[in-house]
Amino acid sequence: MGREFTVIKALGPTDVPVPVAYGYCEDPSVTGAHFYVMSEVSGQAFYTTEDVEAGLSMDARVTLSNSFMDTLAALHALDPVAIGLGDLGRHDGYVSRQLRTWYGSWEASKEAAKYDDDRIHDLHRMLLSTLPEQGPPRVVHGDFGTHNVMVGSDGVITAVLDWEIATLGDPMADFAYALNAWVDEDDDREFAPFAATAAPGFLRRSALVERYSSITGCDVSQLDYYRSFNYFKTACILHGVYARYLMGQKSTEGVDMEGLYNRMRGSIELAIAQARDL
């Protein structure tokens, strides 16, 4: 709670749309836990194709495509020290730390998951050996998607929400994560058939890359690396979730275990596909 409040308050005066952060309370006697109060923001978050078809016109979908990239670019343009977020995280080694964390998760989960895959180990070695040099750290959201932003009926983002895993890191990793979750018209829809951006009318992924790079001036020549890294990370996360289900730590009632398994394997395949030219 304190972390999220700190981020929202720091971003308030910037071009990144966030709710107004009114106050933070550390006294658990008030509600039983720490809490903060923020302003109400109009708009809607979009989780599924059905949400989009009910809430956004075709023109608004184009507007949201552009607003999505404009907002992320605005976040990554900020100097975290200048806005008081210099202590939000370490200033170096973001991707290497993530690789260590999520590969460690895979290793720790493979017995319980009853599944290992040589391709994950190959990907880990490749991603470590071809790690791009990291530029200046920026605030990274960590889960930037249409489900974590409020959107007006015109398609303009009115606020970015859910900053609890925000930290300092490589903005290209944050950008690539958002791209991976954005469904393109040529994508295999097996793993995201009902994703919000699977609805018709959204701009293609290539247009998002062009808009982001034109605003930020960032070198996107290593984008395939960052997209591969994010698919690798997704596979490791799903592997851990799958293991917890098999261990009985989470109820499997209503859970498509076969679908979860296939999404994990599919993420590995997508990571390999993105890494072919590295």
Side-chain angles (χ1 to χ4, degrees), residues 118-215:
D118 288 340
R119 297 175 299 172
I120 276 289
H121 308 297
D122 293 340
L123 279 165
H124 180 247
R125 285 190 291 269
M126 181 278 299
L127 290 167
L128 279 176
S129 65
T130 58
L131 182 65
E133 182 177 353
Q134 182 178 307
R138 291 292 184 258
V139 177
V140 292
H141 182 277
D143 192 16
F144 189 75
T146 60
H147 61 298
N148 275 335
V149 296
M150 297 296 283
V151 182
S153 60
D154 58 357
V156 175
I157 292 176
T158 57
V160 183
L161 306 177
D162 293 339
W163 293 91
E164 64 269 16
I165 62 171
T167 188
L168 300 186
D170 190 329
M172 287 301 295
D174 210 29
F175 174 47
Y177 175 90
L179 285 179
N180 282 1
W182 190 274
V183 179
D184 216 0
E185 62 183 41
D186 295 332
D187 288 348
D188 183 349
R189 303 298 174 88
E190 178 183 357
F191 303 116
F194 307 113
T197 53
F202 288 101
L203 295 183
R204 301 196 60 170
R205 197 181 289 121
S206 58
L208 302 189
V209 174
E210 182 178 352
R211 190 173 185 92
Y212 178 88
S213 61
S214 67
I215 295 170

